[in-house]
Structure formats: C-alpha cells, structure tokens
Amino acid sequence: MRDYEELRYFKQYAVPRDKKLALGIVSVKSRNVEPVEVIRKRYEAALDVVNGDPNKLIVVPGCGFASRPQTQCKPWSRPGGN
C-alpha cells in the first residue's frame, strides 16, 4: 500500500476553500481488487487532509503515475505551448 506521503503537503498548506482534493485510492496496477480495509485507510487519510469534510474530497481510481519514475513525469504544458 502506498503511504501517501505527499498528502502532508496538502495538510500543511490547506486545500483552498473553493477547491477540492481528488485522490486516487484504488490501484490500477493490478487486476485484483484491493481489500476494503486498504481502500478505507486511504480514504480516511485523505479525509484527514480536508479536515473531515467529505464534500472537499473527490475519490477516483489511481492514474498509474505512482509507478513511473519522476524523471518520466513532466509538468502539463499550458495552452499555447508555454
């Protein structure tokens, strides 16, 4: 199970009031469904970041980027090629 270490940044700097946090809590790296307890722990960790407000949290399947080295993950380019 991923430890979601990066969540500490969202907790430290707070999700703005007009924004929501989307977090992939289901692994896409396996065809097997993960145990409910594992998925629940991930949800609870994310819920803690948004101070327990489920309306600030969007739960999605994982995007698969966690298995890629950071050197392969480039920032999105802005419209107009910037």
Side-chain angles (χ1 to χ4, degrees):
M1 180 176 116
R2 268 183 72 200
D3 63 3
Y4 290 106
E5 183 179 322
E6 65 273 11
L7 283 178
R8 66 187 166 104
Y9 295 110
F10 290 99
K11 181 101 174 146
Q12 181 179 355
Y13 296 107
V15 177
R17 283 190 286 190
D18 64 331
K19 305 291 181 198
K20 294 184 179 191
L21 176 65
L23 182 70
I25 64 170
V26 178
S27 176
V28 296
K29 295 185 273 183
S30 172
R31 292 179 183 261
N32 299 324
V33 177
E34 297 167 294
V36 172
E37 297 79 26
V38 171
I39 296 170
R40 181 179 293 129
K41 283 182 183 181
R42 292 175 183 160
Y43 176 78
E44 289 170 354
L47 197 57
D48 182 54
V49 171
V50 294
N51 297 316
D53 184 356
N55 295 315
K56 298 284 294 174
L57 185 61
I58 301 170
V59 176
V60 298
C63 64
F65 288 131
S67 61
R68 296 233 178 251
Q70 281 189 326
T71 56
Q72 291 182 352
C73 299
K74 296 180 181 178
W76 293 98
S77 55
R78 294 182 180 148
N82 294 330

